[in-house]
Amino acid sequence: MTPVTTHTTCPYCGVGCGVEVKSQDLDVAPVAGLQAHPANFGRLCVKGSALHETTDHTDRLLHPTLNGKKTTWDKAIGLVADKMRQVISTHGPDAVAFYGSGQLLTEDYYVANKLMKGFVGSANMDTNSRLCMASAVAAYKRALGSDTVPGSYQDLEEADLMVMVGSNAAWAHPILFQRITAAKKANPDMKVVVIDPRFTATCDIADLHLPVRPGSDTTLFNALLTYMHDQNCLDNDFIAEHCEGITDALDAARAAAEDFADLEQKTGVDASELETFFSWFRDTEKTVTFYSQGVNQSVDGTDKANAIINLHLATGRIGKPGACPFSITGQPNAMGGREVGGLANQLAAHMDFAAEDRERIKRFWNAPSVAEKPGYKAVDLFNAVKDGKIKFLWIMSTNPLVSMPDADAVKEALGQCELVVVSDCMANTDTTAAAHVLLPAASWGEKNGTVTNSERRISRQRGFLPPPGDARPDWWIITQVARHMGFEDAFPYEHPSEIFDEHARLSAFENNGRRDFDLSGLTGMTREQYDALAPVQWPVNDTYPEGRARFFDDGRFYTPSGKARFVPINAQLPEQDDATLIMNTGRVRDHWHTMTRTAKSSRLARHIAEPYADFHIRDASQRGIRDGALVELHNDRGQIIVRAKVSDDKRQRPGEVFVPMHWTSRYASSARMGVLINQDNDPVSGQPALKISRVEARPFDVEWQGFVLSRTDLGPLDADYWAYNLTDTGHMYEVAHRDSPEAFLQKIEQSEGEGSWLRFSDEANHHYRLARVVDGRLDLVVFIHRDYDFGTRQWLIDRFGDEELDRNDRRALLAGRAPGAQVDKGAIICSCFQVGENAIKEAIAQGADTAEALGKALLCGTNCGSCIPELKTIIQKSSVEFTDAAKAG
Ligand code: SF4
C-alpha cells in the first residue's frame, strides 16, 4: 500500500499554516509545510513540524463515560439530551450553557451555536476565544460597524513601519514573524517597533523596543493621536468623507499626557524613544499596527484596540496596501467561531440581537425560539454556574480549570453544577476530572471541516486517521443530542459539507451587501468540491469570487451611516502598588495551550522543561530568590510553585514577573497560573485581564531536589514539587520535597515492576541514587541530593533505549554517565535538530559568532527558524562573557 498524501491545516495558532501529511494506516511520516498555502508557503514552525509526533493515542478519551464508568453513545446522548430538556422545562433555557473553544472546527461551532441560540432559546454559548480576542472583536465593531480584519498577511510584508503591540509573535505566531523578518531583510527601509513591557524574542527584529509600563499603552496611543493632530498630519479628507466623531476622540486623547516628559513618567519609556517612535509614525504612510493578547487581555482591552484604530482612521491608513490595524488571533479557529456566533453576544453569520437579525435567523433556521438577548460571557458564565443559575454545562474541547481566571473558583463552580458534560479528545485534563459525563471527540488528523485564520482565510482541515475507540467528531455528537431532543428536521447533517453549505447560505441570506461576512460564492458545493476547497479569504461572492484581500479600500464601512466611527478613549492608568509584583502571562515557544498535544513530543518538551517565573534581578534579590531555585508565587486566591529565572533589566521590567500559561495538574504539581488571576475583565468585551495580576513571591525552600526517570508513566508524584516530561525513551520528572526523602523513596521503590536494584546512599546529605533493572533493561532511575545540580542525565535517558544494558553501562548507572565520556547537550535550543546550548556555546567559542555561522556548523535555526532569536541571545551573552573574561585576564 502506498502512503496517502493529505493537505490540511495546523491546529495550533491563528496563522493557520497549510500542512502536507503522508500517512499509511496509523503511521504518519514527518509532516511538511504546504507550499501552495498562502499563509506559510511551505514553512512550518517547530510546533507544526512536530505534529506527526502528537497523533498517538496516549491519554486519549476513547469511550463515553458516566461518572467514570464506560457507557454507550446511545446512553450518553440520551442522558445529555434528557437532562437538557428537564433543566429547560424546570428552570428555563438560560439554565443551560455551552462553553466552546477555538479548537472546534467551524462546522462544530455552527451546530453548537444553532442548537443553543435557535432551539434551546438561550445565548449561553460562549467560548475560550473570549479569553483571546473578544476585545479586538468589540473594538472593530465599535469603529468599523463589523467584526472585520481589514488587511492580509501581505500587508504586514508591504508595510514600511510595523508596530507590534503586546505580541511576542516570534514565539506565538512564528511563521508570520518569519514573514515579517524576511520582509524587513528585503526592505532595509522597513522599521519595526515592539511595544511590550518585556524584552521578548520578537525584539530580535526591533529597531526600537518600548518597554511600556503595563496598562499604559492606551495613554501612549492617545498621546500619539494628539501629536499627529498637532503636527498637522491627519488625513482630513479621509476623515471628512469616511469617518465620524473625530472631535470627541481628539478631545479625549488630549487628556492623556501634557508633553513627552509627562508621557515618559506615565509610560516608563524614555522621552527620546517616544519621540523617535512618534516621528517614525508621522513620517510613514505604510504603517501596520499588529496587536495581540497584550492589548486584548486587559480591563480596557477594547479601548486599547480602539485607540489604535482611531490612529489608523485619523491618518487614513486603512484599506491601503501595507496600512491597517491588524489584530492577530491566538487560536486556529477563533475567527471561525466569530463567523458562526460562537461568542455569547453574537447570533450567527455576523448578526447580533437586533429584532431584524433575530427574525431573519428564525426564518432561516425555522427555529422555535431564537435567543432574545446576549448570554453570559465566560467569567459571568462560570459565576452563574457557581450561583446555581446554570444547572447544565457542556464544555467542548477546552480546559477552563486551567485557563480561566480564578481557576479554583471555576473548579468549585463545576462541583456544584447538576450535570457537567465534557467532550474532549483527551482523558486526563483538570476539566475532564470535574465532569459527570465524558464524550470522546475526534482530534486533529481525524476530523474534517474548515478553519479561518487571522487574515480571514478559510482552509480545510482534512482527516487522514480513523478516530480511535468510540471517538466522534464534535458536530456529530452535538447533532445526535439535538436529534434526541426532538430537533431531527433542523439537524439532518450526515457530513460536515452539509453544515458548511448551510453556514454559507445563512451568510448570504438577505445579505445584499449589508453584512461583511458573505460566502454566497461557496454555497451549493458538492461534497467533492468541498473536499477540494482551496484556501480563500472571505467574503466570496459575485463581487469577490476569488475572495477579498483588503476591506475598506472603497471607504465604505458597515455602520448605519457607512462611515467609520472614532471612539473617544479616556485613558486610565492602573494604580501603582510597589509592594506587590505585577504578574504577566503568555506562551512559550514550543508548547500550545494546556500542553495536551505538544507534551506528547519529547523534542518539544526539551526546550523549556519546567514551569517558571521570570524575575528582574532587583525583585529577586529583595526577596532572596536565586536563579534556578524554586519559588512560590501567591496571593489571596492561591499559590503556584515554579522555577525562578532571574535576569537583568532587559528581559523583565522591575516590579513585574512573567509566568507561562501552559502547565496543568497533569504536567506539574502546582503550576496552574489561572488560580492567581482575579476576575477583572473588560466592561465592553468581557475579556479577562490575564496580563495584570498582583502577586507576591518567596523562595520555596526544600530539603532535597532531584529527578526520576522511568520506563512507565508514574502519574502525579507524592512530593511538594514535581514537573513531568516525556523523553525519547520514557518519562522524566523533576522533583523536590520539603521533608526528608525516605518516605518518597519508599513509595517509588514500591511502584510497579520487579527487578534488581542498584543503590547508593549518603543519608547526611540526602544523597541517594537508585536504579532498577528489569529483565536486563533499565526500568527506573532516581537521583536526589540536598543541593546537587543534576543537569546531566542524557546518557541515562539514552540507556532506557537499550534492549539490554551492557555490563560497563550497568556499572556506570549510579555515576549517571559513561566513564570519561559524554558532554551533555544542555537545554535544547533548536528543537528541529535537537541542538543543545552546550554545543552552541562550544561552536561560538570556535568562532561561529552569527546565527548563520551556527546554522552552518550545527544546522540549528536552518529549518523552522524559531530558535534564531535565542541563538542571537546566546551569541550576545557569550561575547559579554568573553569580554568579561578577557578583562579579568
Ligand atoms: S505558525 Fe506554527 S503553530 Fe502557527 S499555524 Fe503555523 S505551524 Fe502551526
Side-chain angles (χ1 to χ4, degrees), residues 537-864:
Q537 278 178 293
W538 64 257
V540 185
N541 52 24
D542 286 347
T543 317
Y544 300 99
E546 305 302 324
R548 185 179 186 183
R550 195 170 294 116
F551 266 89
F552 312 123
D553 44 357
D554 52 3
R556 180 180 154 258
F557 295 86
Y558 291 88
T559 56
S561 65
K563 292 185 171 192
R565 290 181 291 232
F566 285 99
V567 180
I569 302 299
N570 298 308
Q572 307 282 336
L573 289 167
E575 279 177 23
Q576 290 278 93
D577 171 9
D578 293 336
T580 53
L581 296 166
I582 293 175
M583 184 180 81
N584 188 354
T585 61
R587 301 176 194 278
V588 302
R589 193 190 73 191
D590 290 4
H591 277 307
W592 175 254
H593 279 195
T594 56
M595 294 166 58
T596 48
R597 273 189 304 234
T598 46
K600 287 178 165 218
S601 163
S602 58
R603 69 181 165 122
L604 293 182
R606 294 191 64 188
H607 178 233
I608 294 177
E610 288 181 88
Y612 68 91
D614 256 334
F615 288 91
H616 185 270
I617 195 161
R618 186 203 73 179
D619 301 318
S621 353
Q622 280 172 355
R623 291 163 176 80
I625 294 166
R626 285 179 297 114
D627 185 38
L630 290 173
V631 62
E632 179 191 288
L633 298 183
H634 59 99
N635 59 22
D636 55 6
R637 278 175 295 283
Q639 53 121 288
I640 61 172
I641 304 161
V642 296
R643 192 71 64 183
K645 289 190 183 182
V646 179
S647 64
D648 62 11
D649 60 351
K650 233 181 157 197
R651 190 163 76 194
Q652 194 63 44
R653 281 169 48 94
E656 295 161 26
V657 58
F658 173 80
V659 178
M661 61 186 275
H662 308 285
W663 275 267
T664 69
S665 309
R666 168 78 177 95
Y667 304 107
S669 51
S670 178
R672 289 158 57 231
M673 55 87 213
V675 302
L676 297 174
I677 298 172
N678 68 33
Q679 296 195 357
D680 288 352
N681 58 79
D682 182 294
V684 183
S685 68
Q687 178 152 1
L690 301 177
K691 298 289 186 195
I692 300 187
S693 304
R694 291 281 171 188
V695 299
E696 240 323 327
R698 59 186 166 221
F700 187 78
D701 294 324
V702 291
E703 273 292 298
W704 55 267
Q705 302 204 55
F707 67 85
V708 177
L709 299 172
S710 171
R711 185 166 297 284
T712 53
D713 182 350
L714 301 175
L717 296 187
D718 196 6
D720 291 317
Y721 172 82
W722 56 264
Y724 165 83
N725 280 299
L726 208 60
T727 69
D728 297 339
T729 56
H731 307 264
M732 176 169 71
Y733 294 81
E734 311 298 323
V735 61
H737 199 46
R738 297 192 120 165
D739 221 338
S740 59
E742 284 75 22
F744 174 81
L745 288 169
Q746 216 174 13
K747 283 213 169 157
I748 284 280
E749 290 193 44
Q750 285 162 0
S751 63
E752 280 174 42
E754 298 279 309
S756 54
W757 286 94
L758 289 83
R759 289 191 176 85
F760 163 84
S761 65
D762 167 10
E763 267 181 56
N765 286 310
H766 290 336
H767 189 180
Y768 296 86
R769 297 185 178 202
L770 277 70
R772 180 169 63 197
V773 178
V774 178
D775 297 333
R777 300 182 78 195
L778 186 56
D779 189 64
L780 186 81
V781 170
V782 184
F783 276 28
I784 62 181
H785 193 280
R786 190 184 296 282
D787 49 22
Y788 193 81
D789 177 3
F790 289 115
T792 303
R793 63 191 71 166
Q794 188 58 45
W795 181 80
L796 283 170
I797 290 172
D798 292 343
R799 298 290 66 73
F800 277 82
D802 294 345
E803 278 307 310
E804 178 150 16
L805 277 170
D806 127 331
R807 199 189 312 170
N808 289 336
D809 287 347
R810 190 176 174 129
R811 277 202 210 110
L813 284 178
L814 295 189
R817 65 180 73 182
Q822 317 294 332
V823 176
D824 200 63
K825 289 181 173 180
I828 294 296
I829 303 299
C830 171
S831 298
C832 296
F833 294 110
Q834 291 291 290
V835 184
E837 189 170 4
N838 293 342
I840 291 167
K841 284 182 172 166
E842 180 60 32
I844 295 169
Q846 301 296 325
D849 58 358
T850 63
E852 290 77 19
L854 284 172
K856 274 193 192 135
L858 304 169
L859 288 179
C860 50
T862 58
N863 183 38
C864 78

Side-chain angles (χ1 to χ4, degrees), residues 419-604:
L419 194 77
V420 177
V421 180
V422 174
S423 41
D424 205 303
C425 53
M426 307 307 292
N428 304 323
T429 75
D430 291 78
T431 303
T432 54
H436 301 101
V437 179
L438 290 177
L439 306 175
S443 185
W444 181 81
E446 299 158 7
K447 54 188 188 176
N448 259 309
T450 55
V451 289
T452 307
N453 74 2
S454 296
E455 60 167 356
R456 292 178 275 103
R457 191 176 299 280
I458 297 170
S459 299
R460 286 280 280 106
Q461 239 189 53
R462 299 178 175 93
F464 49 88
L465 293 168
D470 292 333
R472 296 282 185 277
D474 287 279
W475 66 264
W476 181 90
I477 302 171
I478 302 158
T479 295
Q480 302 312 308
V481 170
R483 289 181 188 170
H484 199 97
M485 290 175 76
F487 306 127
E488 295 90 341
D489 292 347
F491 293 83
Y493 319 114
E494 298 294 336
H495 189 272
S497 62
E498 297 158 19
I499 304 168
F500 185 86
D501 184 57
E502 186 179 309
H503 165 57
R505 284 189 290 108
L506 176 57
S507 77
F509 187 55
E510 299 174 3
N511 188 326
N512 304 319
R514 284 186 301 172
R515 302 193 301 274
D516 61 338
F517 183 67
D518 179 4
L519 301 183
S520 49
L522 297 178
T523 57
M525 284 191 290
T526 62
R527 196 176 287 191
E528 289 70 30
Q529 286 170 320
Y530 173 79
D531 279 341
L533 182 66
V536 62
Q537 278 178 293
W538 64 257
V540 185
N541 52 24
D542 286 347
T543 317
Y544 300 99
E546 305 302 324
R548 185 179 186 183
R550 195 170 294 116
F551 266 89
F552 312 123
D553 44 357
D554 52 3
R556 180 180 154 258
F557 295 86
Y558 291 88
T559 56
S561 65
K563 292 185 171 192
R565 290 181 291 232
F566 285 99
V567 180
I569 302 299
N570 298 308
Q572 307 282 336
L573 289 167
E575 279 177 23
Q576 290 278 93
D577 171 9
D578 293 336
T580 53
L581 296 166
I582 293 175
M583 184 180 81
N584 188 354
T585 61
R587 301 176 194 278
V588 302
R589 193 190 73 191
D590 290 4
H591 277 307
W592 175 254
H593 279 195
T594 56
M595 294 166 58
T596 48
R597 273 189 304 234
T598 46
K600 287 178 165 218
S601 163
S602 58
R603 69 181 165 122
L604 293 182

